[in-house]
Amino acid sequence: MEKSSSKNIAIFISGRGSNFKSILDHINEINGEIKIVISNKNALGLNYAKEKNIQTLISNDFEKISSIMEELNIDLIVLAGYLKILPKNFVKKFFGKIINIHPSLIPSFCGKNFYGEKVHEAAINRGVRYSGCTTHFVSDVVDGGPIILQKTVEVSQNDTPKTLAEKILIEEHKIIVESVKLFCDDLLTIKGERVIIK
Ligand code: GRF
């Protein structure tokens, strides 16, 4: 099989950036290069980029962000703990090129009001025995795009939103890397609401 060309990656973060860090730690296994890290605020995780001399930008101006994506020939945008909802025209323009990670088994506990510990609080209160995480392509429905990978985590009776978040985060770090790898090897195809992995 012909090797796919190396992909230009942009990472979007809003916080501590541990999912971004996981991608950085495995970058040698990924057929791609991180060209820029963008945040909607002065996020802690930007420091990982600075340590590696990766370009960073703090901006909420999506016209500007969109033209930077084009200038840098970005093939893949990874929302790695990015808490802002992208404008619809941005999503439309880059559909099929934006991957998000969400800390639940979509379609449970997802959508507009489910972020941070609220997700885990809702899962615990609902009494589910399993939760987990999902990577998906971003569509104009919040957390509603085609699912790439999921991983389950058992919810124990003693779990708090904090302990459940910690357990799920370990799995997030794995599926985000795996999803980026699959994308960069041209192994993902969107078919309607589904993702086919070659
Ligand atoms: C993760 O749980 C992610 O799924 C959620 O926010 C958290 C971000 O963590 N959207 P980090 O910034 O990657 O450490």
Side-chain angles (χ1 to χ4, degrees):
M1 202 170 63
E2 209 178 297
K3 199 173 180 300
S4 53
S5 57
S6 174
K7 302 289 186 281
N8 295 329
I9 304 170
I11 309 269
F12 288 23
I13 62 170
S14 296
R16 74 194 148 179
S18 70
N19 277 289
F20 161 43
K21 172 80 166 43
S22 185
I23 296 170
L24 263 184
D25 289 345
H26 293 87
I27 199 69
N28 292 339
E29 303 154 37
I30 294 169
N31 185 22
E33 198 184 323
I34 300 172
K35 294 288 182 188
I36 189 164
V37 180
I38 296 179
S39 182
N40 55 320
K41 57 183 184 191
N42 192 6
L44 206 61
L46 289 172
N47 290 325
Y48 295 126
K50 289 172 190 157
E51 280 166 18
K52 301 270 179 196
N53 290 318
I54 298 170
Q55 187 183 341
T56 61
L57 173 73
I58 299 171
S59 176
N60 286 291
D61 176 351
F62 279 88
E63 262 180 50
K64 181 176 175 186
I65 293 174
S66 179
S67 53
I68 291 174
M69 296 299 98
E70 287 177 329
E71 275 162 34
L72 296 175
N73 278 316
I74 295 299
D75 301 294
L76 171 65
I77 296 168
V78 185
L79 309 185
Y82 187 67
L83 296 182
K84 208 181 151 93
I85 293 174
L86 298 172
K88 277 199 172 21
N89 58 351
F90 186 89
V91 170
K92 198 169 171 202
K93 188 165 178 187
F94 296 101
F95 181 74
K97 294 183 171 187
I98 315 174
I99 291 177
N100 181 42
I101 182 138
H102 182 75
S104 78
L105 294 174
I106 290 176
S108 290
F109 314 117
C110 63
K112 205 164 169 268
N113 298 316
F114 289 99
Y115 56 88
E117 288 209 346
K118 287 182 190 217
V119 180
H120 309 297
E121 211 174 65
I124 290 169
N125 288 342
R126 183 61 186 83
V128 293
R129 300 295 183 194
Y130 292 91
S131 189
C133 47
T134 304
T135 54
H136 64 92
F137 283 107
V138 172
S139 73
D140 57 4
V141 179
V142 178
D143 295 328
I147 291 170
I148 303 168
L149 295 177
Q150 293 188 302
K151 194 90 196 221
T152 56
V153 162
E154 212 166 334
V155 182
S156 86
Q157 236 124 256
N158 303 322
D159 266 323
T160 63
K162 191 169 177 288
T163 60
L164 184 55
E166 283 165 1
K167 286 198 284 192
I168 291 175
L169 193 63
I170 295 169
E171 302 306 326
E172 286 184 49
H173 293 162
K174 296 177 194 163
I175 67 166
I176 199 160
V177 170
E178 198 49 42
S179 302
V180 171
K181 265 192 209 173
L182 288 168
F183 182 97
C184 291
D185 287 335
D186 290 331
L187 295 176
L188 301 177
T189 313
I190 299 174
K191 280 227 163 100
E193 288 208 291
R194 300 173 63 201
V195 173
I196 309 298
I197 301 175
K198 276 177 223 153

